[in-house]
Amino acid sequence: MWLTLLLLLPQLLLAQPESSTIASSSLSPIEPHVLQITESNFNSTLQANDVVLINFYADWCHFSARLAPIFETAAIRLAEDLPKSAKVRLGRVDCMSELELSNLCAITKFPTLRLFYRGHPLRREYRGKRSVEALVEYVKEQFKFAIKRFNDMEQLEMINVKRRSVIGFFDNRKKPEFAIFEQLAERYKHDCDFYQRVGPKLKNVTYTQHMPTIVYRPDTARTHATDELFVGDMTNKSELEAWLLKKCVPLVREVDFSNVEEIIEQKLPLLVLFHMPNDMNSVKDFKSIVEMQLSDCGQFNFVTVDGLKFEHSVNHMGKTHRDLPLIAIDSLKLMYPYPNFKDMFIPGHLKQFVDNFNSHHLNPNLMTTNTTIKDNEKPSNSTFRYLGPSKYRYTLIGHDEL
């Protein structure tokens, strides 16, 4: 008997892997939590899901390597937390293998996180904390309805006067204008607050006499502007989006440490108003003059900042909070203070200041070489240049020194 078992033992050992292979092959393969996205499945992935968060990475980038397990865990957590009906996908693109796709998405640093909602990219990329909790919360936020509904004009008193708002009046939900409004609200919900009313005309409200109607309400705490009606074709999505982009992403933007990185990444010089936190009159006046005089100056970013939060920049120019409000050009190399804030009320004076900078900036030979300039009058080094994408957070590609 023992001899028989010993003779059969090799056959039993050889048979065991074969049976295991057969058993395992009968199981369906487990779908990865993070989908590898290529040019061939990019569009189909966007079309098949409502929310797609994509990690554009490079294998050799150590920041990408750090993010990979966090991103994978976030995908697992979302699969556990969200209902199965939720059309959510976390994906990743190897930018070294998918150069065309990387260029199409304008990737200039690794890792870059972009969210696509119903096939369209959000205007802003994700720049928040790289933790499982933060990524999960960011994806879940996309399921919050972007539009606040209201029934009467009194309810619009809740509008935040420090935020830009877009208000839509519709008589029913079946018209194409309604669907277009909701699509664009999702795309620009981080730039404007959106409100919506569906119902019959309201007495003594001219906006509702011809519906559908869309009204832009500016951040009245920060501007002299008033309500503006969209007079274009509401069934033309491109036309409406161009109008929304102009209103929700205005010429003069408020900058803080949460959004300064994306502005510096554009590598455009800044015309900056430094103001005291409660000095909204200076902000309103600055915005009005810039919009009147400099709206055609495309190679600039016009921003306002809290002079106390950015006091380091103020001090760097040899100024203090007592000198606020203060205007300066930051070329992302040097800072040039505007001589006197009140001079901007002289017609054309601020524009001449910007034009003079442009002449010098485009032709370095025109820069002053007067050696008699006092040290405290020489332009100081830029402080904003260090607030762009950091080499301690990203691997930067195609980023020349500013």
Side-chain angles (χ1 to χ4, degrees), residues 63-77:
F63 297 112
S64 296
R66 288 182 189 175
L67 178 61
I70 296 171
F71 202 70
E72 179 72 27
T73 305
I76 295 171
R77 181 82 61 80

Side-chain angles (χ1 to χ4, degrees), residues 178-360:
F178 184 85
I180 291 173
F181 182 78
E182 290 200 333
Q183 291 170 15
L184 294 177
E186 289 293 344
R187 175 151 195 176
Y188 291 93
K189 64 185 177 182
H190 298 298
D191 301 293
C192 271
D193 292 336
F194 285 80
Y195 299 84
Q196 177 190 86
R197 181 186 183 275
V198 181
K201 299 176 182 179
L202 292 171
K203 292 182 180 179
N204 302 320
V205 180
T206 56
Y207 295 149
T208 67
Q209 301 311 302
H210 301 282
M211 292 191 288
T213 297
I214 295 179
V215 179
Y216 167 72
R217 178 163 295 178
D219 45 344
T220 53
R222 297 178 49 81
T223 181
H224 293 304
T226 56
D227 288 5
E228 184 176 333
L229 191 69
F230 176 67
V231 295
D233 180 4
M234 286 184 58
T235 63
N236 187 326
K237 184 177 178 181
S238 298
E239 183 180 352
L240 178 56
E241 182 168 9
W243 183 78
L244 282 177
L245 178 63
K246 185 177 179 180
K247 301 302 177 185
C248 292
V249 187
L251 185 62
V252 181
R253 287 178 282 179
E254 180 183 11
V255 168
D256 55 30
F257 291 107
S258 69
N259 66 349
V260 67
E261 181 184 280
E262 67 176 280
I263 290 177
I264 302 305
E265 190 173 15
Q266 297 172 13
K267 299 182 182 179
L268 295 176
L270 309 174
L271 182 66
V272 188
L273 168 67
F274 299 88
H275 64 89
M276 293 296 287
N278 296 324
D279 181 14
M280 290 297 104
N281 287 329
S282 295
V283 173
K284 291 181 178 182
D285 292 340
F286 177 75
K287 291 180 74 172
S288 294
I289 290 173
V290 168
E291 288 166 358
M292 285 189 295
Q293 298 185 14
L294 300 169
S295 60
D296 59 345
C297 186
Q299 296 304 309
F300 255 88
N301 271 321
F302 304 100
V303 301
T304 66
V305 301
D306 182 329
L308 297 185
K309 290 182 179 178
F310 287 81
E311 192 168 11
H312 173 68
S313 298
V314 174
N315 295 339
H316 210 61
M317 292 184 287
K319 308 290 184 179
T320 71
H321 67 275
R322 296 183 182 86
D323 297 303
L324 303 180
L326 171 68
I327 298 172
I329 288 176
D330 190 317
S331 72
L332 304 185
K333 288 185 178 179
L334 298 171
M335 298 181 74
Y336 304 88
Y338 185 60
N340 189 320
F341 174 78
K342 292 183 179 179
D343 285 349
M344 76 171 184
F345 295 106
I346 302 173
H349 198 275
L350 185 60
K351 185 178 188 304
Q352 187 61 54
F353 177 67
V354 172
D355 288 344
N356 287 345
F357 167 80
N358 283 335
S359 297
H360 296 160

Side-chain angles (χ1 to χ4, degrees), residues 53-121:
L53 179 61
I54 301 180
N55 171 20
F56 294 86
Y57 72 97
D59 278 331
W60 46 262
C61 165
H62 62 283
F63 297 112
S64 296
R66 288 182 189 175
L67 178 61
I70 296 171
F71 202 70
E72 179 72 27
T73 305
I76 295 171
R77 181 82 61 80
L78 286 166
E80 295 171 348
D81 292 355
L82 295 176
K84 292 182 179 180
S85 58
K87 296 181 178 180
V88 177
R89 204 71 166 100
L90 266 61
R92 61 180 190 171
V93 173
D94 181 347
C95 293
M96 296 297 97
S97 301
E98 299 292 332
L99 291 177
E100 289 190 15
L101 184 55
S102 176
N103 291 334
L104 176 68
C105 297
I107 303 304
T108 60
K109 59 188 182 302
F110 306 129
T112 294
L113 298 178
R114 291 261 173 88
L115 189 136
F116 294 77
Y117 185 86
R118 294 182 178 175
H120 299 282

